Each structure stands twice: as C-alpha cells, then as structure tokens.
Amino acid sequence: LIFIEELADKVIDAVQPQRERLDACLVFPSMPAVMRLNKLGSFSMAQLGQSKSVISSFMKKKKQQGSGGFEEAMLKLVRTLPSVLKYLPSDKAQDARNFMLSLQYWLGGSAENLENFLLTIAKAYVPEASKLASVQIAEPVVFPDAGIWHPMAPTMYEDLKEYLNWYDTRRDMKFEKDAPVVGLVLQRTHLVTGDEAHYAATVMDLEARGAKVIPIFAGGLDFSGPCKKFFFNPLNMSKSYVDCVVSLTGFALVGGPARQDHPKAIETLKSLNVPYMVSLPLVFQTTEEWSDSSLGLHPVQVALQVALPELDGGLEPIIFSGRDSRTGKSHALHDRIEAVCDRAIKWAELRKKQVRDKKVCITVFSFPPDKGNVGTAAYLNVFGSIYKVLKGLQDEGYDVGALPETDKELMESVLNDTEARFNSEDLNVAYKMSVPEYKKLCLYQEALEENWGPAPGTLNTNGEDLLVFGKEFGNVFIGVQPTFGYEGDPMRLLFSKSASPHHGFAAYYTFVEHVFKADAVLHFGTHGSLEFMPGKQVGMSDGCYPDSLIGSIPNLYYYAANNPSEATIAKRRSYANTMSYLTPPAENAGLYKGLKELSELVASYQGLKSSNRGIAIVNSIVDKAIQCNLDRDVALPECDAKEITEEERDTVVGSVYKKLIEIESRLLPCGLHVIGCPPSAEEAVATLVNIASIDRPEVEPPILGLPQILAKSVNRDIEEIYRLSDKGNLDDVNLLQDITMACREAVTEFVNESVAKDGRIDVAFVDILGKLSGAKEDPWVRALNKTAFKNANKEEMEKVFNYLNFCLQQVVKDAELDSLMKALRGEYVEPGPGGDPIRNPDVLPTGKNIHALDPQAIPTSAAVQSAQVVVERLIERQKLDNGGAYPETIALVLWGTDNIKTYGESLAQVMLMVGVRPKPDALGRVNKLELIPLEELGRPRIDVVVNCSGVFRDLFVNQMNLLDRAIKLAAEQDEPPEMNFVRKHAIEQAEELGVSVRQAATRIFSNASGSYSSNVNLAVENSSWNDEAQLQDMYLSRKSFAFDSDTPGAGMAESKEIFKSALKTVDVTFQNLDSSEISLTDVSHYFDSDPTNLVEGLREDGKKPASFIADTTTANAQVRTLSETVRLDARTKLLNPKWYEGMLSSGYEGAREIQKRLTNTLGWSATSGQVDNWVYEDTNATFMEDEEMRNRLMETNPSSFRKMVATMLEANGRGYWDTSEENLDRLRQLYQEVEDKIEGVE
C-alpha cells in the first residue's frame, strides 16, 4: 500500500537495480510506478498506467462507478480469477494466477497464509528450491471481507443479529438496559495478522465503562457498506443501532489514503446521524519518537489521517495506539484509549439523556483582558446571539431558569453590577473554588507551578479562592474564559515559548467538568485561548494542555465561516465540533464629507471640461484632493492647471476619480452578525454582486463574470479596461464605473423580486427563476435596458443569474441554530468548507462543521496563475520605486486561512519568486518541484524570508517542506550570483556563519511548535512595551524557529543567527490581503507579523525596506504600498460614518470594534512607521472633538472609550502623532472623566 510519492521513489531506487537478478518480485496495490516493478515469470506490469489493457480499462470503468463498487469488484476478482486462470494452458496465465493467488495469501495475512505464500512463489520460481516439487501447499485460508469481530467472541460474524444473540447471552458482562452503544470501525489486516491488541484494549475499556460495542471491519478501503450493514437496527433499518461511531483506522471512511469519495461517506454518516470520531494509530513513528516530538504526529500522517477524515465530518484526532520500535507491532496507549472512550461515551450520552436534565456551558471570551472586552468574537454580536440560543434551547425543552427580558439585561447580569459593569474585577462570580478542592479535582495543577507558582496565584482569585466568573440560568452556565495571563508582562512576552495556562484558567475548566458537570460546552465565537495553549501541534499526549483542559466534555464551537484555519486548530487541539456562522453582509464603503464633494467636482468636470470653467474645476479638484490627504496616493500637479495640456488634466482627474471609486466600492462588513439571523435582501446585494464578478471556469456549466460579459457587449475586454483604468485613463475609469454600476443595478433588480414585507428574504419566494420562467421579462434585462450594455449575451447572463439564484438560496438558508441543536442531541453535523463565501459559495449555508482542505491539493494550477500576476506586479512596482533595480530579498508572511481561501496563492508566490514550479505526483498531490530555467524566468531568482504563522505551520507542514526544498534547490544551482540572489546570499551567509550552503539557505521560519504569534500584538493591545526595540526583540525571539526539509519529523529548531542574517538582506516586506472582511486594521495579526522596522535596524546601511500589500479581494488584483493600504483602510473603516454608525448600532460590542481598529492602527505605527499624521488628526476630530459622539461612546462602553482616549495619548507620547496642545488637554480631561465614570464617582 505505497501511496506516498517520496516512499515510492525510495522503493524504486532500492529495487530497480536488483530486479533483473531476482527470481521473483511482487508488489501489491500501490502507485503505478511501484507496481511496474512486478516480475513473476512472464507476468509483468511494465505497461501499467500506460496501455489500454483489459485490466486497466476494467479498473477505469469500476473507478468511475464509485470507489465502493471498485473495492468490491477488485476483491471478487482476486477471489475468482485464480480458479478461472487454472484452466488456461499458457504459462502467462499460470504466472498471472500465481500473482493473484499470492495476493489472496497476502490479504489473508495470517502466519500460515504468509508461509504458504512464500512456499508457492519459491516452488514456482526459485531454481534452488527443487525440493519443494512434491510438497502440497494448502489453498489460502479466507477470512470474511467484512464482518463483526470481538476479542471474546468464538468467531467473526457476518450478521448483526447473530452477533447480538451471542453478545446478549455473555456471562462475563452485564449491561444496563439503555446502555450507550458504540460502533467501532477496524482494519481487517490487523485482525487477520493477529496484531489486534490495541483494538482489544479499546473494546475492553468501553465495556468497562458500561457501553456496548459493535466492532466492525472491512477488507477494502470502503467502510460505508459495512457501516450500513452492521450499524442499523436489524428490526428497523432506517434507525441507527449505535449512538456514536469511532473509526480506529485513521482513514477517510471511503477510499483510504489513495482516492477518497467524501460525498459517499457523508451520505452514509448522514443516514446514521450519530457523532463520528476518527482516532488514529501511529504509523510513521514509534511511540518514543512521537512522545519526544514537539510536533506530535508525523506530517505525512497528518495529511492522510487527520485532514482527509475531517472532510467526512470526522472529529477528535486522538492517537490511541503506538508502534513498538523493535517489532513494528501496534500496542495500546492506555491513557489515550481512556480519553477516546470517555469522550465517545459522553457524545453517546447526549442521545440518551432527557433534555430537561442536560447541562450546557456557554463560554465567552474576554480578549484582550480589558474591562470592555467580555464577549469578544470576530463579527459577532455575542450577547444578542447567546440570547437567541437560550430562546432556542428553551423551545427545545431545556431548563434555562428565569431568562431576562432582553439581550442587554442578559449581558448586564453576566457582567453584574451595572455601574461598574465593565470592570472585569466586578464580573459576576459564579463559583469560588477553594485551593484544596482545586488540588483534588485538577490533576495537572502541579505542572502549572513552574510558570505561575503555587495555587491560587494572582489571577482570577481573591487571594484565597479561585474565582469562576459567569452566571447560571437553570441548567445553562454562561462563563467567561480567563485570558492567557501574561499579556501585560513585557518580560514574559519575550519568552520564545508560550507559558502554560494559569491556575485560574485551569480552575475554570475544572469547574465546568467536575462541579457544574456540563454535558457539553459551547465556545462562543472566533476565538478563545484554549486551543492555543502549549502542547504538541496535532496528536496530543495527556501532557498537552488543551487535552487536559477540555477533559471529557464534548466541545461545540461557533466559528466564523471565513476562518477555516483557526477553526481547524480548535478542531484538532481542543477536539471541537466547529460550526460556522455567517460574517455580516458586506456593503460598499461609499463616500462622505470631503470625498463626496470631490466626487461631485469630478462629475462637473466631465460635463464642463471643454468649457472655460474646465481649468478652474481642475484647480478645485487638486485643492480638494490635498485637503482630503489624497496627495500621497495620486500624483497631483504642482502648478496651475492652465499650464498643463488637456490630456494631462484628464489624467489628473482620471487618477483622482479612480482613487475615489476604489474607496467607494471597497467592501466592508457592516454591523455584527446575530446567530440564526440571515441577512436581508438589501444586505445580500453587495455579496452577490461580488460573487457575480468572478469568472468561474470550475463550475458546471462554466460561468463568465458579469463585468466580462458587459465589457464584451461593447466590444472590449475587461482585463484591458482594468489595465488602462489603473493608469488613470479617464475614459476607461468612466467605462469601468459604468460596468460596476450596471452590475449592481442588475443584481438589485433580481433580488428585489424575492423580498418579503419585512425586508428579509422570503424563503418561499426565493426560487425566483422558477417564478419567472417565460411569464415576464427577466429583472436583469429590465435593469440593463437603461444602459449601454443592453446587448449583453443573453445565454451567458442566464448562466450567471442561475448561479446567483442558487447562491441566494444558500445565503438565506439558516442552519446555525439548527446545527447546534443537532449536536446537543448527539447527531451528526454535516461538514463543509470554510473560507470566503464570495470566492467559494460552497461555504454557504452556514452552520456546517467547518473543515480546511486536503493540504496536499495546494497550490492548484489556478492559484499558480494568480500568483504569477501578483509577483510580476510586485517586482515591477518595486523596480519603479528603486531606479529599475530588482529587489534581492523579499520578506513575506504565510497565513493559514489565506492559503485555504485562495488554494495556495501565497505559497505559489514564494516558489515563483525563487523560480521554481510546484508539480503534482501520479495521484494529483502537489509534492514535486521543477526548476524554471533562467532563460524562461527572464529575471534573477529573488531570495525570500518566509514567516509562517503558527496556524499555517500546524496545517501545512507538508507545504513548508515543499517550500524549503524549493529554496534549497534554487540555492544549489550553479548560476551567476547576479542572476540568483538565493545562491548569492546563501554563499555569503555560509561563510559568515561557518555552515554549509544548504544550511545557510534556510528561509522558512515560524514559532516554536505549540506557540503562536510574535506577541507584538499582545504588547500593543495592552500597552505593555517600553520602546520599538523591545517589540523587535519579541519578534526575533519568537519567530526565529526554522523548518528543515532534511529532518521533516523533528519540528521547528531555533535558528536565530540565520534568521537575522537573512533579514539583513531584505529590500521589500510584503503581505497579502485576500478577502474584503479582514483588512490590515481589522485584526492585530497583520502588524504582529510585520518586520519592516526590524529590518531597517538590522540592515548594515540602515535603509528602510519598501513595504507592499497585494490586494486580491477583487477581480482586478492590486499591489499597493503599506502606507497607501493603511490610508485606504482608515478612510473606508475607522473614519467612515457608514462603518462606525453600523458598529455603534450594535452597542457595547460595536464600540469595542471601533476601539480595536484604532489600537491596530497604532500597531502599524509601532512596527512600520507607515501611518500618516492626518489619520490620527481625523480620528481625534471624529471621535474626541464631537461632543455628541463622545457621549455615545461613553454611554455604550466606557472601558472601550477610555482605551481609545489612552491610545490617542499614547500615539502622541510615542511620537506617532503631532498635534496641538489644545487637543492633548482635551484628551487628558476626557481620560479623567471616563475614569471617574467607571469608578462610579459622580
């Protein structure tokens, strides 16, 4: 079963040279290249995969019928062929028969079968074995292909009733009448070869805990048939007999490691409708290697046995068995088996327990630990959503006690005392845990003393007891998860590895499991700290903190649909069933104040440009643009407009207009989402316009984007319009704007057909197309009739609107509450991809169990094409600003979510920079490389320094391996240094550091395994840093761990010297933005990973590197400078009334969102110095000078307002904002006032 390219290559290298002298060589089902090594007399497979033989066409035909049929047919073939071939005279047939017979012995697997297999081959093909001529060799002993096995049973059963007859009459065990039933899925090979101790241990452990067990096995790699055959109630085949399924194979349910059929697997699991866990045996490591590794599970196994089962909806990748280093046999890891069994029974009990008795803990986050931050989650109105969930639970029959009247009252009762409500110290205390009780219940508390001293410590405590914050409503506890605890300590932030959880954190989860006794915990929103606690990356041991903290509680987790990467960390490290929620609907940013006046001036110029007023208007446009601080974004003339030509005047106006359109059309999520509340029709329009703008060659039938269809209707090509518009060509800027407006009109008309009275979309109405068929004019035709595009291709338009009709139905289907109720009933939650709904509408409807993607599938060839465009634009842009010289080194960041959404675009960018192309292997997995010759590349190979986020490191270890190989491949080419900067620098660094060139070419860096982020974000958010040098030290000490493809299983190794010496050569720092929802100031991750000022300090010439941001959020990819992007962000979000009013309408949480954008803006000043003074000046005018606005913020969330005032003063104190003394006095006065309000001083 060799299905891994690297392994296949090694086998071929070892066997190929010897094949001629061997008497026989047998290879059983593997990759074609390995199968070609077969040699048995005249039987060979040399043509495999290349010819049109009967066997290969049979295999192809069966493959198309679905992998299940293929497996079955293969096994039948193996069973029947030998007896048929026996009667064929030719030697060839006898050789083929011997091959098939050998395969049967092999599949039989027992000691006698393997002995007879060797005797058969020796007798037929080894000349020296003539003594065997008279020996009678027994036929293969055949075991059932599928059945039920039990370590105590006298036989294997092929019928569930027979098994249950035996099971229910056992004398050694007695079970309760309603005992939970756990179905186990096993691999047949372990049973027939007698290597089944780990299976027996799992069965015994489950039974010892009072559960009944049905352990089934299958010979092929399709377990869907046996699941259907043995897991349903024999008296009622539509009803599942089991309460939970645990696969112990580690494989996808259908198709194993080679080819999977996820839809078929999902179909089977949906019909069973029970929780589905996939535990794994160690395959590529011995127990000791795994135990000693900070990485945990070997990267290859993560790709095959964790990522693939997740696509079926598999949960909880816990390792249950190890491998003996001497014999290679499996053995039980008893403490891990206990964890698997304990958790499986807890999931099963959710099906058994009465609803009114079920206890649920809802956990909210407070991050960073500021008093206005309780209930933090990306894009989510947390308390509004919790209120909706509590109402839903009440309707299901849960005991939710006396519910407050409104979500605001609910929030206040959790946050307690209304006056001091935003002060974390004054949160409602739900439970005081004494230190003796904590020590008795929390078995790992001693391990925390190394970082935090003896309990109770200093956090979440009153000095004597540990405090659990939150409030109980009947059987529902709403609790506040404690924070990391080291955010405010600059010394701790410098440690290269993260600290353990503190006692207060451990006490919280101890309370939930052992005192409150929750049947399930619901973590509310993106994201908490549990899954980011130290421990192995994947495949944790009992010494890893996330595993210890979550204990045996089933974990449900609402996660933003657009963040599949961190959701996957929560899934793998805190065993969460991650259910997606929609991000708020996007709207166009629009124009306001001076920008709006400027756009009116542009409009009047277009009407009057040839009149005598034209020149005066251009002068007004230039003045107004300077007043709006656009002079750094657009080249404006220094002289009077009459001194330049009309063509030049057009270009000035065109460039200003293009900038205005860029601001106006930027998408922003407005307001915050409430769980279970789908968007209104109006809110869905901007999302649908963007869905419609993208060409989709991959869907059936392929679709052209609306802009392309409209451009073709006036005989133009959209790419050309984009290009000329980017240059500021006024006619093309106008045409592009006309196309954009026509798209919006057409989609708006289309959506208006489906609106109910309350402005929400009526689900009954939504199938608009069904309604419209032929009855009246299509709404989009009506819209286009008023424009220049009325001749747009009707067929193409219909395809787009058919697709939009489907997308609209998905947007308004709402499964978010439904999925939660399913999970709490112990049912299966259907899996689905996470990502950007605009790029990938399959993300909808939300409420799915989010998964990432098969990590070996990226980068796709489409991603490589998109990456090519960005790399070319980036290099061109840098040459333009750098006197035509190529950049020698580019420092860039790789994010987990971005690479899932774009299928690996930024991964491909790195490879293309160094001049290497990724290639798929025979099974379509991307794990090979091809060097692009310099002639084809047409430029030097550019060196890179790659900083991988901790999440990327966890999800894409195989891709880090590929990147490291790519860069080292480039470094080892014998090419002139001026054409290969990778080699040039590696040779210099090898000399300087006294290492080999290969080692010196190390360029793939991240955190230590189990640690995340550079902590620069924590320092900035908590104002716990002295100067920029301290932030740079954090970055260096936390981000200098290197990946080495020569020892891929070893994890990350500290390599600070190579890291520093590589950063010294950096000319450009670079990041990607890939979705409209998350921009530079929306989250702190972007500045946390920005090394701009650090590089300036390390470079010998002290030169600041250029900083660029690629923006691929629209079809027309842009490369802008960092400062341009920060300005665009400030104009469209922080300073935009449409955005901040949308936020303030969500009250307490909205005020915090505004404060967060301001803090993140300060972060960019600290790491890059690229924030203009006017950004702070305008922020001050918007939020601090305006008395009405001040009062609103003060009322809504005084703690967040205090943080805003403090941030403005900090910006001035640190030299990032130069302003009048009057402004500073006002801020100091305000700080005092808000402080008094919080302290309750009248």
Side-chain angles (χ1 to χ4, degrees), residues 1049-1110:
M1052 312 298 292
E1054 187 153 19
S1055 315
K1056 205 164 180 178
E1057 290 314 308
I1058 292 185
F1059 188 45
K1060 277 165 74 170
S1061 113
L1063 284 171
K1064 277 181 190 170
T1065 65
V1066 168
D1067 301 308
V1068 174
T1069 62
F1070 174 65
Q1071 297 205 47
N1072 285 283
L1073 288 179
D1074 63 89
S1075 97
S1076 55
E1077 291 147 350
I1078 306 176
S1079 190
L1080 288 189
T1081 57
D1082 290 324
V1083 291
S1084 57
H1085 303 59
Y1086 287 118
F1087 74 76
D1088 180 69
S1089 294
D1090 171 50
T1092 306
N1093 283 353
L1094 167 62
V1095 169
E1096 181 182 4
L1098 289 173
R1099 278 184 68 110
E1100 276 153 21
D1101 57 7
K1103 185 176 151 215
K1104 196 184 204 89
S1107 294
F1108 292 105
I1109 304 286

Side-chain angles (χ1 to χ4, degrees), residues 487-772:
E487 300 86 351
D489 179 347
M491 290 324 291
R492 284 208 175 183
L493 293 175
L494 280 165
F495 293 163
S496 62
K497 295 184 178 170
S498 303
S500 72
H502 55 81
H503 295 293
F505 203 98
Y508 177 81
Y509 283 95
T510 303
F511 165 78
V512 173
E513 183 171 11
H514 299 293
V515 180
F516 177 69
K517 295 192 161 51
D519 293 296
V521 59
L522 168 62
H523 285 94
F524 219 95
T526 307
H527 60 75
S529 326
L530 167 68
E531 59 270 33
F532 294 101
M533 287 294 172
K536 297 185 191 300
Q537 282 173 213
V538 185
M540 291 182 294
S541 69
D542 65 340
C544 297
Y545 290 112
D547 181 275
S548 306
L549 289 158
I550 197 63
S552 66
I553 319 169
N555 182 8
L556 313 173
Y557 209 141
Y558 270 135
Y559 231 90
N562 67 352
N563 193 344
S565 63
E566 288 179 319
T568 302
I569 303 288
K571 203 186 213 48
R572 294 177 187 177
R573 301 189 84 239
S574 67
Y575 311 142
N577 184 344
T578 46
M579 297 165 299
S580 62
Y581 61 82
L582 203 57
T583 47
E587 289 184 38
N588 298 104
L591 298 173
Y592 53 92
K593 298 181 186 161
L595 297 170
K596 198 165 182 186
E597 292 162 27
L598 190 54
S599 88
E600 285 157 10
L601 282 170
V602 169
S604 63
Y605 172 75
Q606 309 217 43
L608 301 168
K609 66 175 183 180
S610 19
S611 76
N612 49 6
R613 292 197 44 215
I615 290 172
I617 295 174
V618 174
N619 282 330
S620 306
I621 287 174
V622 171
D623 293 344
K624 194 77 196 165
I626 292 171
Q627 202 185 326
C628 293
N629 302 297
L630 288 175
D631 47 327
R632 291 200 49 200
D633 298 285
V634 179
L636 299 172
E638 311 255 314
C639 57
D640 193 291
K642 63 172 184 282
E643 293 169 34
I644 56 177
T645 66
E646 182 171 346
E647 197 177 311
E648 287 169 326
R649 287 197 288 272
D650 275 3
T651 302
V652 169
V653 176
S655 303
V656 170
Y657 191 29
K658 172 189 161 268
K659 195 74 208 168
L660 289 173
I661 290 171
E662 188 174 273
I663 295 168
E664 188 281 332
S665 62
R666 192 127 178 111
L667 278 190
L668 5 134
C670 278
L672 297 169
H673 178 64
V674 175
I675 296 281
C677 192
S680 68
E682 201 180 329
E683 290 168 340
V685 167
T687 303
L688 289 173
V689 169
N690 279 277
I691 289 176
S693 301
I694 300 174
D695 292 348
R696 297 182 187 273
E698 74 287 350
V699 301
E700 265 312 309
I703 294 173
L704 281 181
L706 269 186
Q708 182 66 286
I709 299 171
L710 299 187
K712 285 188 165 173
S713 74
V714 291
N715 300 320
R716 292 288 302 275
D717 175 66
I718 193 73
E719 289 301 324
E720 182 200 19
I721 301 173
Y722 286 150
R723 219 174 36 250
L724 294 169
S725 162
D726 284 349
K727 290 190 172 138
N729 183 319
L730 188 56
D731 293 341
D732 289 285
V733 175
N734 274 323
L735 177 58
L736 187 53
Q737 182 63 351
D738 291 344
I739 288 176
T740 306
M741 296 319 283
C743 291
R744 287 186 199 170
E745 283 293 306
V747 174
T748 305
E749 282 282 331
F750 164 73
V751 171
N752 285 343
E753 294 278 340
S754 65
V755 182
K757 300 208 175 20
D758 61 352
R760 298 271 145 200
I761 292 171
D762 188 331
V763 182
F765 267 28
V766 153
D767 192 15
I768 306 162
L769 298 175
K771 229 173 55 193
L772 295 173

